[in-house]
Amino acid sequence: MKAASRTSVRSPRSKNTSSTSVPAQPELPGWIREPKHLLINGKWVEAASGESFATVDPASGSTLCHVAAGAKEDIDQAVAAARNAFESGPWRSMTASERGRLIWRLADLLEEHADEFATLESLDNGKPRAVARVADVPLAVDLFRYMAGWATKIHGSTFPISVPYAPGAQFFSYTQREPIGVVGQIIPWNFPLLMAAWKLGPALATGCTVVLKPAEQTPLSALRLGELIQQAGFPDGVVNIVTGFGETAGAALAGHPGIDKVAFTGSTEVGKLIVRAASHDLKKVSLELGGKSPNIVLADADLETAIPGAASAIFFNHGQCCCAGSRLYVHKKHFDQVVEGVASAARKIKVGPGLSPDTEMGPLVSEEQLNRVMGLLKSGQSEGAKPVAGGSRHGKAGYFVQPTVLVNTQPGMRVMEEEIFGPVVCAVPFTDEEEVIRSANGNIYGLAAAVWTSNLSKAHRIASALRAGTVWVNCYNIFDAALPFGGYKQSGWGREMGAEALELYTETKAVCVRL
Ligand code: NAI
Ligand code: MG
């Protein structure tokens, strides 16, 4: 799709949009098939270049619709709009309570449209619609409500100060927390709506303005959220959404001199590029990156919960979770039983299109991701790893991979060291607890970890020894808006969610008054 000029168009829900090559799919809401535009300063506009790209249904590889391919010029305009909204718009003078109410209204609107968002996530990302309906969408709603509550609770402190070189003088000193300013937010495709919520929630609660760049694989739910943001009544320019590719739109945003901070979730490789792009003017950076999370089953674990827990630790969201439990360490006493239990669960998973009601695992998000995962599976098997379940592509159409359990893996193999981001777990036996902690920590990542045990002291001791931002004990993948999430080591900088997320979006100002 090419557009002759940069024109403001009506909302993507409107019917005035021009031709699209997408064949009619009557079962889909009409909105999905319409061409999508950028949200800049409260208006839906075409990309300055007029270019667009296709977003596809990964279950079939067919095009869902075309989306504006934003790039540097669009980012420039979006940043200018966000700067203006930060410095002079009604947002600036709004009370914290009014800001909180807007965020709460957005949560309500999202909840009202929960079914629609679950469908969008399923179509664009491939995940089962039923999972998106009970996990992704309610978690996003909850995150907005949690952050709405924070808007009125961001405060500084007072300090008794002594100043040794000013004897006799009296001071009143306090801190105040101020919004960091204009924020660029770049998000991935594995939880498209939820990642938008994790980023927007704290930025809006603290009074920042935003340019959001969704992943090119999954732009739809963020764009629909943009419509709800307008409907909720956020002033123009507070949230701008520029869809486009990482190398163009993403890179232009990360290095933009007009933003005060960049927040990124995605690969560790691109995280390093973001740091470089942000370094020339030392803008603030927060990063939520990859993982290779160890999941440890001790000899005294309750296997009835540990086995299904280990299976869902890796297979949830098709393994496309930064915190996926991808290294499964099992005490040798139970190794065969746990491996067989997880393998049997893997074999039973119903793989299919996300919109089919009985689907338990959908396709990977893209052909690129399919090729990446298949390449790693091939590399593992050529180095001696053996699949006891799965190991291959599932079917010929769409980007499906069989849920896979690998044994006979060794440290140093790519499948043991690299993030696979697919439904592939490496199971490894151990005998000694110190040894398993060393192995668990022996990786460049440190995002999450888990331990399964019935011994309370061991649970706390091992939780303390693991170098990871989250440790789950006798559970996995438990998230809550109140719990900070983020990585040690090369898994990132800073923590998302919880009160800690507010730190990422505020500056602290110390004020000292001589009395
Ligand atoms: P990616 O890191 O390239 O993409 C994430 C986001 O960054 C997207 O919005 C993308 O457009 C943007 N981006 C890409 N290059 C950029 C650049 N030079 N400057 C600014 N923004 C840029 O991830 P990709 O290629 O989709 O997946 C590769 C691997 O990354 C996966 O196999 C997985 O291992 C990891 N990953 C981790 C995620 C996490 O949640 N931590 C999420 C997605 C991917
Ligand atoms: Mg990439």
Side-chain angles (χ1 to χ4, degrees):
M1 183 190 82
K2 289 261 184 188
S5 64
R6 183 179 177 77
T7 45
S8 164
V9 293
R10 279 192 281 147
S11 142
R13 275 188 100 63
S14 68
K15 297 288 173 209
N16 72 333
T17 43
S18 56
S19 67
T20 145
S21 58
V22 185
Q25 297 179 59
E27 74 277 15
L28 304 182
W31 181 84
I32 287 179
R33 295 198 304 275
E34 293 172 8
K36 305 292 181 294
H37 303 101
L38 314 174
L39 179 59
I40 298 180
N41 206 23
K43 304 220 164 28
W44 294 99
V45 296
E46 313 222 351
S49 66
E51 303 279 336
S52 68
F53 61 98
T55 187
V56 305
D57 170 4
S60 62
S62 65
T63 296
L64 290 165
C65 64
H66 284 89
V67 179
K72 186 176 177 308
E73 200 176 329
D74 309 288
I75 292 287
D76 284 344
Q77 296 193 13
V79 169
R83 173 62 58 193
N84 187 48
F86 181 70
E87 283 177 1
S88 53
W91 185 242
R92 182 91 193 164
S93 52
M94 224 175 244
T95 65
S97 169
E98 285 168 330
R99 234 171 33 234
R101 244 178 295 156
L102 278 180
I103 302 170
W104 194 278
R105 198 175 301 152
L106 177 60
D108 286 346
L109 286 169
L110 187 55
E111 195 167 50
E112 278 167 32
H113 293 87
D115 289 335
E116 182 190 347
F117 274 90
T119 302
L120 281 180
E121 288 302 70
S122 178
L123 275 170
D124 216 10
N125 164 280
K127 64 180 70 199
R129 185 183 179 284
V131 173
R133 184 64 186 79
V134 297
D136 301 54
V137 182
L139 280 169
V141 170
D142 212 41
L143 187 287
F144 280 125
R145 293 218 172 101
Y146 174 86
M147 289 299 171
W150 266 120
T152 47
K153 297 163 196 73
I154 299 164
H155 56 75
S157 311
T158 57
F159 301 84
I161 62 170
S162 307
V163 198
Y165 54 81
Q170 281 196 321
F171 300 92
F172 174 58
S173 298
Y174 60 93
T175 52
Q176 60 189 41
R177 308 258 307 272
E178 299 180 349
I180 209 164
V182 177
V183 182
Q185 302 185 318
I186 301 172
I187 55 172
W189 42 260
N190 52 343
F191 294 90
L193 172 69
L194 187 58
M195 292 303 100
W198 282 21
K199 292 281 183 282
L200 291 173
L204 297 173
T206 50
C208 296
T209 61
V210 175
V211 177
L212 176 75
K213 197 210 76 71
E216 55 270 36
Q217 297 85 349
T218 56
L220 297 183
S221 55
L223 292 171
R224 184 71 183 101
L225 186 68
E227 295 186 334
L228 298 191
I229 286 169
Q230 289 186 293
Q231 198 180 329
F234 283 87
D236 291 348
V238 170
V239 177
N240 304 274
I241 304 177
V242 179
T243 46
F245 292 95
E247 297 74 11
T248 47
L253 184 56
H256 203 288
I259 65 171
D260 300 293
K261 174 206 162 67
V262 58
F264 173 75
T265 297
S267 61
T268 292
E269 184 191 352
V270 173
K272 291 175 186 176
L273 295 178
I274 302 281
V275 170
R276 246 171 261 153
S279 69
H280 72 96
D281 57 0
L282 294 181
K283 61 175 95 294
K284 307 293 188 280
V285 179
S286 56
L287 305 168
E288 203 259 273
L289 307 174
K292 189 74 181 172
S293 299
N295 190 13
I296 304 171
V297 181
L298 296 188
D300 59 18
D302 169 16
L303 299 188
E304 274 186 33
T305 54
I307 291 171
S312 90
I314 183 65
F315 298 133
F316 175 63
N317 213 40
H318 327 161
Q320 299 171 134
C321 296
C322 44
C323 54
S326 51
R327 290 183 292 149
L328 176 60
Y329 293 98
V330 186
H331 192 276
K332 74 168 193 304
K333 187 169 131 192
H334 300 311
F335 186 71
D336 291 345
Q337 188 185 348
V338 171
V339 166
E340 187 38 44
V342 176
S344 146
R347 289 181 211 113
K348 283 187 202 134
I349 291 172
K350 175 94 180 61
V351 178
L355 287 190
S356 298
D358 58 345
T359 288
E360 292 167 338
M361 185 184 286
L364 298 187
V365 72
S366 64
E367 189 172 6
E368 183 187 6
Q369 205 57 24
L370 172 72
N371 293 336
R372 191 175 282 143
V373 172
M374 291 314 299
L376 277 159
L377 271 177
K378 208 168 147 199
S379 145
Q381 292 180 63
S382 73
E383 290 181 293
K386 297 258 174 305
V388 289
S392 309
R393 185 174 174 184
H394 172 98
K396 290 204 173 66
Y399 314 132
F400 298 92
V401 172
Q402 295 174 340
T404 298
V405 180
L406 295 177
V407 294
N408 217 20
T409 56
Q410 303 297 331
M413 285 182 176
R414 287 185 60 209
V415 285
M416 277 291 286
E417 305 299 329
E418 294 180 26
E419 180 171 57
I420 298 178
F421 230 62
V424 181
V425 65
C426 297
V428 182
F430 72 89
T431 47
D432 171 85
E433 267 166 43
E434 280 185 19
E435 163 209 327
V436 78
I437 291 167
R438 259 197 314 278
S439 305
N441 287 338
N443 188 272
I444 62 164
Y445 296 114
L447 192 58
V451 56
W452 301 80
T453 176
S454 50
N455 181 318
L456 192 61
S457 303
K458 279 188 187 178
H460 288 294
R461 229 176 20 241
I462 293 178
S464 162
L466 289 167
R467 304 272 301 155
T470 293
V471 178
W472 287 296
V473 179
N474 294 334
C475 59
Y476 209 98
N477 281 335
I478 300 299
F479 291 96
D480 190 272
L483 262 184
F485 182 81
Y488 283 35
K489 299 192 271 183
Q490 293 192 38
S491 289
W493 292 351
R495 295 293 178 269
E496 314 257 334
M497 298 199 288
E500 305 215 8
L502 306 168
E503 308 276 337
L504 304 181
Y505 292 94
T506 47
E507 293 276 20
T508 299
K509 176 179 285 172
V511 180
C512 181
V513 185
R514 181 155 190 171
L515 301 179

